[in-house]
Amino acid sequence: MPTSQVGDRETPIDGIRKAIAKHMVTSKHEIPHAWMMVEADATGLVRYRDGLKNKFKAEEGYALTYFAFFVKAVAQALKEFPILNSTWAGDKIIERADINISIAVATDDHLFVPVIKHADEKSIKGIAREINELAAKARAGKLTQDDMSGGTFTVNSTGSFGSVQSMGIINHPQAAILQVESIVKRPVVIDDMIAIRNMVNLCLSIDHRILDGLVAGRFLQKVKENVETITKENTPIY
């Protein structure tokens, strides 16, 4: 057991940090992790959201974040690839009927993972509202057990911290977690010409007992397609 030296600062471990630590150890101990990443062109999403954000905030009272669009894109992809929305149960794999997206919400001291239930049935506005409400409850220490339970797949906005690539630890007993990284302007070759585009890395961690590279890759390609086709014409907010 490590001991303190002169000048070191000790911080007692509270109940929340102990629970997080136990959960992470269980995830790494029980789940054989594998990782994949794709990059998506989010230029259409950026233009669409940036053109709406001020009007939306004035009318609704909360922000229309990029993250709401990504959660919707993932929820839609899970409908097509339900094996990603599953749990290892020893002698069987349970595919969950409900698509309940866990989202990582960080406070100064802790990381919470509240749940947007039936995310596939919600509009982008509805998802944005729940993200705002759950984040506010987390910061105020008012998340309930119901807020935290029932998640079937996790989406983490690591890009909000400036990250461009990461390997998430799966939220046990789920089968996968998707890290949405920073949207970064980069030169991209399109039709043999160089254009400046808003690119984002989508990093997927999978339970290799349940999922292999083929289905995980197809799922990521579907999320990428969903993100790249977000436009004013085909992506209603309400």
Side-chain angles (χ1 to χ4, degrees):
M1 179 70 65
T3 58
S4 300
Q5 304 298 318
V6 175
D8 293 347
R9 181 168 65 91
E10 294 186 352
T11 302
I13 305 299
D14 62 19
I16 295 175
R17 178 54 60 186
K18 285 182 180 178
I20 293 171
K22 181 179 179 181
H23 192 65
M24 292 298 98
V25 170
T26 299
S27 294
K28 289 294 289 183
H29 178 72
E30 292 190 11
I31 299 175
H33 284 58
W35 294 271
M36 298 184 72
M37 184 185 81
V38 299
E39 61 175 5
D41 187 336
T43 304
L45 163 59
V46 170
R47 290 172 180 167
Y48 182 32
R49 178 263 182 181
D50 288 359
L52 285 173
K53 64 178 182 178
N54 292 334
K55 182 174 183 289
F56 185 93
K57 180 69 177 291
E59 292 179 352
E60 305 296 339
Y62 52 91
L64 178 64
T65 63
Y66 294 126
F67 190 50
F69 290 89
F70 285 110
V71 170
K72 183 65 175 179
V74 170
Q76 290 172 324
L78 287 171
K79 293 180 71 174
E80 190 167 328
F81 295 92
I83 190 62
L84 273 289
N85 198 56
S86 64
T87 295
W88 180 267
D91 61 345
K92 59 191 172 186
I93 295 170
I94 303 171
E95 286 188 11
R96 301 299 185 185
D98 295 334
I99 295 176
N100 300 332
I101 302 294
S102 303
I103 60 170
V105 177
T107 66
D108 289 341
D109 301 317
H110 299 298
L111 179 69
F112 298 95
V113 193
V115 179
I116 301 173
K117 294 184 172 65
H118 306 288
D120 58 313
E121 300 174 5
K122 291 181 166 67
S123 66
I124 290 171
K125 173 196 170 182
I127 292 171
R129 183 179 64 246
E130 286 207 38
I131 291 171
N132 178 73
E133 291 174 351
L134 291 170
K137 291 175 77 172
R139 289 190 293 267
K142 295 182 178 180
L143 286 171
T144 66
Q145 185 62 36
D146 184 62
D147 292 329
M148 300 284 288
S149 64
T152 61
F153 185 99
T154 298
V155 183
N156 187 10
S157 181
T158 41
S160 61
F161 306 112
S163 172
V164 294
Q165 185 176 351
S166 59
M167 296 186 296
I169 297 175
I170 296 166
N171 184 11
H172 183 276
Q174 297 172 15
I177 179 173
L178 183 75
Q179 313 273 95
V180 179
E181 306 294 346
S182 296
I183 298 174
V184 179
K185 286 185 180 294
R186 291 201 293 104
V188 177
V189 177
I190 301 176
D191 296 329
D192 294 328
M193 299 181 66
I194 296 176
I196 303 300
R197 309 291 289 180
N198 290 285
M199 305 300 293
V200 59
N201 291 332
L202 305 173
C203 303
L204 181 70
S205 303
I206 61 171
D207 183 339
H208 221 331
R209 297 172 301 180
I210 301 173
L211 303 164
D212 56 31
L214 179 63
V215 69
R218 287 175 174 171
F219 169 76
L220 269 181
Q221 285 299 317
K222 185 60 180 178
V223 177
K224 170 185 169 77
E225 176 187 325
N226 291 346
V227 170
E228 293 186 339
T229 54
I230 292 173
T231 64
K232 179 180 179 180
E233 290 71 29
N234 65 11
T235 313
I237 298 296
Y238 300 97

